[in-house]
Amino acid sequence: MRRYAEHTDPRAESCNWIALAVASNQPIYPLYLLWAVGGDWWVSAWTFLSTPFFLAVPAVARRNGAAGRALLPLAGIGNGIVSAKAFGTASGVELFLIACALIALLAFRRSEWRWTAGLWSAAAGAFLLHDHYGAALGRFDAGQYAAFFRLNAYSVAALSGLVLLSLGRLAWRERRAGMDG
């Protein structure tokens, strides 16, 4: 796995590792839901649609580092849209758009601002879908939605922490060294 995630661009390598961490967590997510939420937890199978995209980030980055870095938040945005339809917006899955926006901000240098602007636009577009998904595929009561929201809020905080530790550290170092252009 280390060889698959390696990249000459430290930002691409960080995105590769983040993508692999998300992909490796996806098979466990239904178990979290079963344990912490209950209800129609099985609709979480829809989230597996994004797994191949997260797993493809390192392969795409090998061909084009910027495209690989962009695929990470795009896969997250797609997963957020599918998850919001599957679970309903009360589940808090749209909070993951915050992590996607954070990745878009930190994965690209100032000279690559067009990538960041495009990805932020995609995240904003996904957020505008809020309350326009129709009926959720799964059914959850108010107590289950409260547990769902807490689970997703903690997950977003953990993912955002990982993003800040990996990409934020790199951006900080490059900025201090004057290499951010």
Side-chain angles (χ1 to χ4, degrees):
M1 186 159 3
R2 181 180 301 129
R3 287 182 54 173
Y4 186 58
E6 283 179 351
H7 199 282
T8 56
D9 176 1
R11 289 184 193 222
E13 186 168 334
S14 287
C15 286
N16 292 350
W17 281 111
I18 293 166
L20 293 174
V22 170
S24 68
N25 188 58
Q26 284 187 308
I28 300 166
Y29 190 67
L31 298 175
Y32 291 149
L33 295 183
L34 174 62
W35 174 73
V37 177
D40 290 342
W41 63 272
W42 53 267
V43 299
S44 61
W46 284 99
T47 65
F48 295 143
L49 292 173
S50 65
T51 305
F53 295 99
F54 286 115
L55 291 173
V57 167
V60 171
R62 277 201 173 82
R63 297 185 138 263
N64 182 315
R69 289 181 278 145
L71 181 56
L72 175 57
L74 286 173
I77 291 166
N79 186 43
I81 291 169
V82 168
S83 296
K85 174 59 180 169
F87 305 128
T89 56
S91 66
V93 294
E94 290 172 312
L95 292 172
F96 283 99
L97 294 173
I98 296 168
C100 294
L102 187 59
I103 292 166
L105 177 67
L106 297 173
F108 296 94
R109 293 166 186 83
R110 283 186 183 182
S111 61
E112 301 170 314
W113 184 250
R114 61 183 159 71
W115 287 94
T116 301
L119 292 167
W120 273 48
S121 297
F127 187 74
L128 290 175
L129 291 174
H130 183 76
D131 287 337
H132 295 286
Y133 293 105
L137 300 177
R139 301 280 185 252
F140 303 94
D141 63 30
Q144 290 168 327
Y145 270 129
F148 216 145
F149 192 91
R150 278 191 307 274
L151 174 67
N152 285 325
Y154 288 128
S155 296
V156 169
L159 179 57
S160 296
L162 175 64
V163 170
L164 287 170
L165 283 172
S166 59
L167 290 170
R169 171 184 53 90
L170 291 171
W172 173 260
R173 284 183 187 165
E174 286 179 3
R175 181 136 176 113
R176 288 193 66 204
M179 302 180 329
D180 193 40

